[in-house]
Amino acid sequence: MCVLKCAADQAAFLGLKMGGNKIESLLTFDELLNSVYGKYIGFAGGARSFAFSSVVTDSRNVKEGSLFVPLIGENQDGHKYIPQALAAGASVVFVTDSVYQKNVNYYMNLASENLDKTFIAVENNLAALQNAARAYVQKFPKLIKIGITGSSGKTTTKEILASILRQKYNVIATEGNLNSETGLPLSVFRIRPEHEVGVFEMGMNRQNEIGEIARVLAPNYAIVTNIGNAHIGILGSRENIAAEKRKIFSYIDKDGAAFVPDQDDFVNFLCEGVKGKCVRFGKDLPKERTGVQFVSNDGINGTRFLVDGIETRLRIPGLYNYNDALACVALAKELGVGAKEICEGIQQVKTVGGRGNIVAVNTRMNSKGESKKVMLMYDCYNANPDSMEKALSLCGSLEIKGRMIFVLGDMKELGEKSAEEHSRIGALATLSKPNLIVFVGPEMENGARAAKLSGFANVRYFPTSDVEKVSDYVLDYVNDGDFILLKASHSMDFDLIAKRIDSAEAASA
């Protein structure tokens, strides 16, 4: 048995040569141990065969050659899944040192049963994951690193920017919603030597989360889409949110650039202390400055505009998405991407699953055995007052043949402002002239009350997100040609309501 703190001493003691592994390791033994301030536990065989080709925090995602990082959460301790991870092929495992010290014999038995596996004790598994990811990113000094944050629009902005930059560069970008304290580190482990640009989202659910994950990536360029009320229940004020979001600019040097929304009331605050350029973007800036000229808002068909005289169309509807595209145009120009490439990249962008999709669907049969042809807009991944207001505004601008139905669910993490914001959204929803508003969830009772007080009569309220009851009510109400908006935070299961309304989705579920 050996328990050594210094990676170099460990390697010398064992006389190991780390380059002869069957798989090419993302980090060497020394690089990993030094970056996470870890200590090797176990037997010599695990260090001799050391290599890992992927990193996971969920034992269900382990594959041959994975580094498994068992995280400790409020309701779950990932350490109990270490045996499953080893059985699935994990080659390296982190163990929180305090957990290891409480049960040394257990972990030494695991090591003796898995002599070709590497066990590393670390003080904090989350910090170790982030530190290992930071060390990995530093292996790619020529990579152009771009970070994106904001209260809303992060994923759309990432998709637009990645599509544009792929016209010129080999791009790696965040997959799905891996933008958190754990998601961002997992995302950067997908960087490979052939990549020229990395485009990564950065989200937050607590104080200093942006600071921590910005340290992992250390972006050369970064975009803040906006400063809204998302997570205000956690951070307390928009001022605190802006201060947190601004941390994404901390690693930009004199050759980099920060991109900030021109019409945001925190625009000057965001630019304070930026060492590189601070570039403003927004639809009200003159074309002489940006090279961009608005042409038309085509409703459900998106937005048309010119880039240096070349016309393109962003097919994602909503002027707020157009504003996100302007950030991407500005950054692409900073990287030397030409107008033709920018326009081609924008043309190729499609809506992201669960985020503002508008599709024509045949509904599942209702209680009368009838199926209807409707337009369905479902934005079921997340919701905050800003994104909710934007979705309602978009719906109010659309010209449709049938009726407008809103199904609005709770917005999470608003804290003491929750009742106020849900009431405000309930009142705003009536201004978009819907025919029916269905409010869902305990917080949306405030929205239903505000809508009724605003003089809107056709309100239906469900205290819980009962997928069957809500979808069945909507299915019995709609007629051919109607338009349905589904918008709520992800935990409200509106994605399941969308699947239950859409006959094609319902059949495949």
Side-chain angles (χ1 to χ4, degrees):
M1 184 186 83
C2 53
V3 182
L4 301 177
K5 294 183 179 180
C6 175
D9 290 347
Q10 172 67 27
F13 176 77
L14 294 172
L16 300 176
K17 184 176 180 181
M18 299 299 177
N21 301 300
K22 293 182 180 179
I23 62 172
E24 185 176 349
S25 188
L26 298 181
L27 291 169
T28 67
F29 182 81
D30 286 357
E31 287 171 339
L32 183 62
L33 233 65
N34 288 332
S35 67
V36 303
Y37 309 101
K39 60 184 180 184
Y40 176 73
I41 57 178
F43 299 87
R48 187 176 294 115
S49 61
F50 174 87
F52 68 98
S53 57
S54 64
V55 182
V56 299
T57 58
D58 187 330
S59 62
R60 294 168 296 185
N61 297 331
V62 169
K63 56 186 179 182
E64 196 69 32
S66 290
L67 161 59
F68 177 55
V69 183
L71 299 175
I72 301 175
E74 292 182 7
N75 303 311
Q76 192 71 272
D77 184 348
H79 289 82
K80 70 180 182 180
Y81 299 108
I82 289 177
Q84 291 93 316
L86 293 169
S91 58
V92 183
V93 175
F94 285 171
V95 181
T96 302
D97 192 52
S98 60
V99 174
Y100 168 69
Q101 295 296 341
K102 288 178 181 178
N103 206 344
V104 172
N105 289 337
Y106 171 76
Y107 286 102
M108 292 311 302
N109 285 335
L110 267 184
S112 67
E113 294 166 2
N114 296 273
L115 293 175
D116 59 340
K117 312 292 187 180
T118 305
F119 295 79
I120 297 175
V122 298
E123 183 176 349
N124 179 288
N125 274 0
L126 175 59
L129 171 65
Q130 294 175 349
N131 287 332
R134 183 170 185 261
Y136 182 69
V137 172
Q138 290 174 342
K139 292 170 74 75
F140 304 93
K142 294 183 179 180
L143 182 75
I144 299 170
K145 298 169 293 182
I146 301 170
I148 299 171
T149 194
S151 294
S152 60
K154 294 183 292 296
T155 299
T156 299
T157 303
K158 177 256 300 183
E159 292 295 326
I160 296 171
L161 184 60
S163 182
I164 292 172
L165 296 182
R166 285 191 179 108
Q167 308 306 309
K168 181 176 181 177
Y169 297 102
N170 188 325
V171 177
I172 179 74
T174 303
E175 283 190 351
N177 63 331
L178 290 176
N179 63 10
S180 65
E181 60 187 0
T182 57
L184 186 280
L186 294 177
S187 288
V188 302
F189 274 114
R190 295 176 50 249
I191 298 170
R192 295 295 180 267
E194 64 268 21
H195 294 133
E196 299 169 291
V197 177
V199 182
F200 296 97
E201 284 183 56
M202 295 185 186
M204 67 176 189
N205 289 293
R206 60 173 176 81
Q207 191 170 13
N208 200 40
E209 188 166 359
I210 294 296
E212 287 180 9
I213 58 181
R215 179 179 174 273
V216 172
L217 182 64
N220 317 106
Y221 302 85
I223 296 171
V224 173
T225 59
N226 52 31
I227 302 298
N229 290 322
H231 312 302
I232 198 167
I234 297 171
L235 294 180
S237 69
R238 289 184 66 232
E239 288 79 6
N240 290 342
I241 292 170
E244 182 65 25
K245 296 293 186 183
R246 187 173 66 173
K247 292 176 182 178
I248 197 173
F249 300 147
S250 299
Y251 296 87
I252 293 173
D253 61 21
K254 61 181 179 61
D255 298 319
F259 297 81
V260 295
D262 178 64
Q263 292 301 305
D264 198 285
D265 50 346
F266 286 95
V267 62
N268 292 324
F269 175 76
L270 291 172
C271 286
E272 289 178 9
V274 174
K275 294 178 182 177
K277 286 184 182 179
C278 197
V279 181
R280 297 188 179 205
F281 63 88
K283 58 184 178 61
D284 294 328
L285 292 172
K287 67 176 181 179
E288 292 78 14
R289 180 173 170 181
T290 65
V292 179
Q293 182 178 356
F294 176 80
V295 175
S296 64
N297 176 8
D298 295 342
I300 197 171
N301 295 313
T303 307
R304 287 189 297 138
F305 57 102
L306 306 177
V307 179
D308 295 338
I310 302 175
E311 184 172 305
T312 190
R313 182 195 297 276
L314 177 67
R315 300 184 186 279
I316 307 173
L319 288 177
Y320 53 95
N321 289 316
Y322 168 61
N323 201 59
D324 293 336
L326 295 178
C328 301
V329 172
L331 199 157
K333 285 192 167 193
E334 190 69 25
L335 294 182
V337 182
K340 183 179 178 181
E341 294 166 312
I342 290 172
C343 292
E344 288 176 352
I346 289 169
Q347 289 276 161
Q348 294 174 17
V349 177
K350 298 179 181 179
T351 55
V352 184
R355 298 172 185 262
N357 305 53
I358 300 180
V359 292
V361 305
N362 292 315
T363 69
R364 187 178 60 85
M365 287 187 180
N366 61 19
S367 60
K368 300 177 183 178
E370 301 168 335
S371 176
K372 307 292 183 179
K373 296 180 179 180
V374 303
M375 297 300 295
L376 179 63
M377 175 177 174
Y378 56 103
D379 198 340
C380 310
Y381 177 75
N382 207 353
N384 57 61
D386 306 290
S387 63
M388 188 76 79
E389 186 172 345
K390 289 171 180 177
L392 293 172
S393 177
L394 169 61
C395 292
S397 70
L398 298 177
E399 294 183 7
I400 61 171
K401 295 179 181 179
R403 300 172 301 172
M404 184 82 69
I405 298 111
F406 296 159
V407 186
L408 308 178
D410 282 358
M411 303 174 288
K412 303 297 185 179
E413 298 178 350
L414 297 180
E416 63 183 18
K417 290 187 175 290
S418 184
E420 175 189 344
E421 290 296 339
H422 282 87
S423 296
R424 188 175 68 86
I425 292 300
L428 281 175
T430 67
L431 300 180
S432 295
K433 300 179 180 179
N435 297 90
L436 168 69
I437 310 177
V438 179
F439 294 95
V440 182
E443 296 298 326
M444 268 303 177
E445 184 176 7
N446 297 290
R449 185 183 301 111
K452 291 177 181 178
L453 290 173
S454 300
F456 189 83
N458 203 8
V459 170
R460 181 72 166 86
Y461 172 63
F462 291 87
T464 63
S465 187
D466 188 310
V467 172
E468 289 190 17
K469 286 183 179 179
V470 174
S471 56
D472 286 348
Y473 180 82
V474 173
L475 287 168
D476 282 341
Y477 179 85
V478 296
N479 289 326
D480 286 330
D482 285 353
F483 182 98
I484 307 170
L485 165 67
L486 298 172
K487 176 75 174 169
S489 287
H490 185 65
S491 62
M492 295 299 291
D493 292 333
F494 270 38
D495 55 329
L496 301 180
I497 294 175
K499 289 180 179 180
R500 189 169 169 80
I501 288 175
D502 184 348
S503 62
E505 290 285 353
S508 62

